[in-house]
Amino acid sequence: MKGIFVTGTDTGIGKTTVCAALLHRYRRCGALGYWKPVQTGWPEDDDTATVRALGACADAEICDEGIRLPRPLSPHLSARLHGVTIQMGDVLRPAQSASQKRAWVVEGAGGLLVPLNDEQKMSDLIAALRLPALVVARSSLGTIIHTLLTLEALRARSLPIVGVVMVGERNAENRRAIEQYGRVPVLGEMMQFSRLTTEALGAWALSELDAQNSLATWMAQEVRA
Ligand SMILES: Nc1ncnc2c1ncn2[C@@H]1O[C@H](COP(=O)(O)OP(=O)(O)O)[C@@H](O)[C@H]1O
Ligand SMILES: [Mg+2]
């Protein structure tokens, strides 16, 4: 599977919104798709439906398969309370049948070290998929520690990092600190929308997300032919 894996410094940090923005930004460069391998809190929480709407996605741009668990908790706990164990093989199965002609924006659940089962974490899923990671972080106070920890944990596992997207009111000092101490590019600063709509998000993505086009290698690889 080609594409990028969108992780974050926390749950509720803006991963789903950034995924939808990435669809707006990169579908003009080639065939893209969105996939949520593990969703808890389902069906009330349905990031796939959110991205379908916020990203104005066509059916072919959505892989609607994956582990779906009812309790809105960490995957390992949501699974345990549902009487099942998440098996990495089951998580990965949709990736094997997903179109190889598309680049996929894959969204994690929670943050990088959230457990999937007794042995494995979200980081093991990223490694198994062999996708580079994009980290979604908030822009406000506290983001430096959370972002640097997430970047260190990615590097400790030799997982490639494509950059950080910050969400919330612009904070130039926090951006500078993340770029300097984290040694990563900040690919965008997404403001807090007073009304988060498909149109507003699309306009922001096209004008501000990854203006350097540094994700093109991952997002438009196979599709130029
Ligand atoms: N830039 C933004 N402006 C306004 N609301 C946002 C923005 N980014 C995220 N949100 C809202 O914050 C909540 C969490 O965002 P979400 O993208 O679902 O986070 P995650 O996928 O990391 O759990 C959602 O209700 C979403 O609509
Ligand atoms: Mg989400």
Side-chain angles (χ1 to χ4, degrees):
M1 176 177 262
K2 296 252 157 55
I4 62 170
F5 193 103
V6 176
T7 185
T9 57
D10 203 349
T11 184
I13 205 78
K15 296 183 300 294
T16 302
T17 312
V18 168
C19 286
L22 286 166
L23 269 291
H24 283 289
R25 170 69 176 82
Y26 273 103
R27 66 160 59 91
R28 53 170 52 183
C29 305
L32 266 194
Y34 169 84
W35 179 40
K36 177 87 176 179
V38 180
Q39 173 78 63
T40 66
W42 195 82
E44 288 80 12
D45 297 337
D46 187 349
D47 288 0
T48 307
T50 302
V51 170
R52 196 189 279 270
L54 261 189
C57 294
D59 286 347
E61 291 181 310
I62 298 285
C63 172
D64 203 357
E65 289 173 65
I67 309 291
R68 303 291 182 250
L69 295 162
R71 303 283 291 268
L73 300 166
S74 168
H76 79 292
L77 185 55
S78 191
R80 192 202 302 156
L81 295 177
H82 195 54
V84 297
T85 301
I86 296 175
Q87 306 287 350
M88 188 61 84
D90 294 337
V91 180
L92 292 171
R93 196 154 300 124
Q96 282 140 20
S97 49
S99 167
Q100 302 300 317
K101 297 220 170 73
R102 279 175 198 282
W104 293 91
V105 175
V106 182
E107 182 184 345
L112 180 67
L113 299 184
V114 156
L116 293 173
N117 54 37
D118 284 350
E119 284 89 35
Q120 293 165 306
K121 306 189 182 81
M122 198 53 65
S123 53
D124 296 300
L125 172 58
I126 304 178
L129 288 168
R130 298 174 190 228
L131 295 177
L134 183 152
V135 177
V136 178
R138 72 178 187 276
S139 60
S140 58
L141 186 65
T143 192
I144 298 175
I145 174 61
H146 290 137
T147 308
L148 296 185
L149 278 173
T150 297
L151 295 170
E152 276 207 13
L154 285 162
R155 292 203 173 102
R157 290 162 179 77
S158 301
L159 297 171
I161 302 162
V162 294
V164 170
V165 174
M166 299 176 73
V167 180
E169 198 178 314
R170 270 175 206 269
N171 187 313
E173 286 295 349
N174 285 346
R175 176 187 182 141
R176 207 177 350 258
I178 286 169
E179 292 192 312
Q180 180 184 340
Y181 300 105
R183 292 172 283 121
V184 281
V186 169
L187 302 175
E189 294 171 279
M190 183 161 71
M191 81 279 260
Q192 199 68 27
F193 294 101
S194 50
R195 270 191 69 233
L196 181 56
T197 62
T198 308
E199 294 70 29
L201 186 67
W204 173 81
L206 292 182
S207 63
E208 301 214 27
L209 180 57
D210 190 22
Q212 307 297 321
N213 221 26
S214 62
L215 296 182
T217 332
W218 288 275
M219 303 300 264
Q221 215 163 17
E222 263 202 12
V223 285
R224 282 196 204 96

